[in-house]
Amino acid sequence: DARESVTTAFYTSPEIIEAVYQGLAQFGFTKGTLLEPSVGVGHFFGAMPESMRGSKLYGVEKDDISGRIAKLLYPKAKIRIGGFEETAFSDNFFDVAVGNIPFGDFKLYDPKYAKHNFRIHDYFVAKALDKVRPGGIVAFVTSKFMLDKSNSKMRKYIAERAELLGAVRMPDTAFLDSAGTIATSDIIFLKKRERKIVAEPDWVHTGKTEEGITVNSYFVEHPEMMLGKMEYDKRRFGYQSDYTS
């Protein structure tokens, strides 16, 4: 189990978690029902600010070892051990969904979402949006590919169901100390719409930085939300690399 989770288990540093909660506080969340769909050993529960500690906590963890540790550390939380795709929480139930979701170029099977052909990170966002109430917030750490990939189909799907409140792009070393991994990641804040609409705001599309590197239009318009500058990663991917980090 531990070996299988190696490619998706990115443990998050307290500094990043505290910043996510600071964002949620600025968007008006004080306490309520909170879902963490990839809870790990519970870092997001452990770093929750005192002001939000009255929240009802629900967690899901695929890895049996991590899930059992989380249950011992947070006995008041309702933690389910298994895949997020195996859960059947009610739609429109949670006030907030939060966490560092798994990402990768593979899919999970959930009959409700099968027709969309979502990659794992896209699936977590789609299902979390269904589970939070209208006006509720999804605050996830995820790969830059969600906002930057050339195919905008998933972003259009999200935009029909949620408003992008904002995003922060972190340096690729943000998880080096806590998880030993190098990956360019974003923190995204989404607010669920009252009803599904046909929407195609600017952030559905990509644009180019002053250096000519393709990024999401949100970061073209808000370069101050990138903690660094995008560049072609020639260190790991060779001189002709078109992989950005």
Side-chain angles (χ1 to χ4, degrees):
D1 281 350
R3 193 179 293 117
E4 282 183 6
S5 73
V6 162
T7 57
T8 57
F10 298 114
Y11 295 99
T12 318
S13 67
E15 294 83 1
I16 292 173
I17 296 171
E18 286 162 11
V20 172
Y21 282 123
Q22 186 181 342
L24 285 171
Q26 287 173 218
F27 293 131
F29 179 70
T30 51
K31 60 184 70 172
T33 53
L34 184 143
L35 171 66
E36 220 284 45
S38 53
V39 77
V41 294
H43 286 191
F44 271 84
F45 290 169
M48 178 176 284
E50 199 66 42
S51 60
M52 296 179 184
R53 291 276 162 125
S55 296
K56 293 180 180 177
L57 305 179
Y58 295 77
V60 183
E61 176 51 41
K62 186 175 181 66
D63 175 44
D64 178 70
I65 299 168
S66 297
R68 282 185 288 142
I69 290 171
K71 280 189 167 191
L72 290 170
L73 290 173
Y74 307 103
K76 291 183 180 178
K78 295 180 179 178
I79 296 172
R80 303 183 185 188
I81 297 175
F84 190 35
E85 71 277 13
E86 299 164 1
T87 62
F89 295 113
S90 299
D91 287 350
N92 306 307
F93 177 71
F94 297 97
D95 296 306
V96 163
V98 70
N100 184 351
I101 59 175
F103 47 84
D105 193 18
F106 58 94
K107 306 164 196 170
L108 301 173
Y109 181 70
D110 183 329
K112 182 177 177 180
Y113 301 91
K115 66 179 181 181
H116 297 293
N117 205 28
F118 288 142
R119 297 297 185 268
I120 185 170
H121 40 282
D122 297 336
Y123 168 78
F124 266 70
V125 173
K127 185 162 183 170
L129 279 173
D130 284 342
K131 300 307 163 190
V132 300
R133 62 171 174 76
I137 296 175
V138 171
F140 281 165
V141 178
T142 185
S143 161
K144 75 177 180 70
F145 292 112
M146 179 170 289
L147 290 179
D148 280 11
K149 62 186 171 187
S150 57
N151 187 334
S152 63
K153 183 179 176 183
M154 176 56 186
R155 293 191 294 274
K156 190 171 181 184
Y157 176 97
I158 296 172
E160 290 173 349
R161 294 160 175 80
E163 173 191 353
L164 178 70
L165 296 174
V168 180
R169 176 150 297 174
M170 295 179 285
D172 63 5
T173 54
F175 296 99
L176 191 57
D177 289 343
S178 59
T181 189
I182 293 178
T184 305
S185 304
D186 295 333
I187 305 171
I188 59 171
F189 293 90
L190 301 165
K191 182 178 180 180
K192 184 171 177 174
R193 298 188 188 280
E194 293 288 334
R195 62 186 64 82
K196 181 182 169 185
I197 65 169
V198 177
E200 208 162 313
D202 287 347
W203 70 268
V204 168
H205 307 288
T206 56
K208 290 189 182 293
T209 65
E210 291 179 357
E211 293 78 23
I213 294 176
T214 300
V215 295
N216 189 275
S217 292
Y218 175 83
F219 292 120
V220 175
E221 295 171 19
H222 301 281
E224 74 281 2
M225 303 305 282
M226 289 196 291
L227 306 182
K229 286 209 170 191
M230 296 300 291
E231 60 181 40
Y232 291 110
D233 194 338
K234 295 177 168 48
R235 299 164 298 169
R236 290 176 294 156
F237 298 97
Y239 182 70
Q240 300 294 327
S241 169
D242 59 359
Y243 183 93
T244 60
S245 64

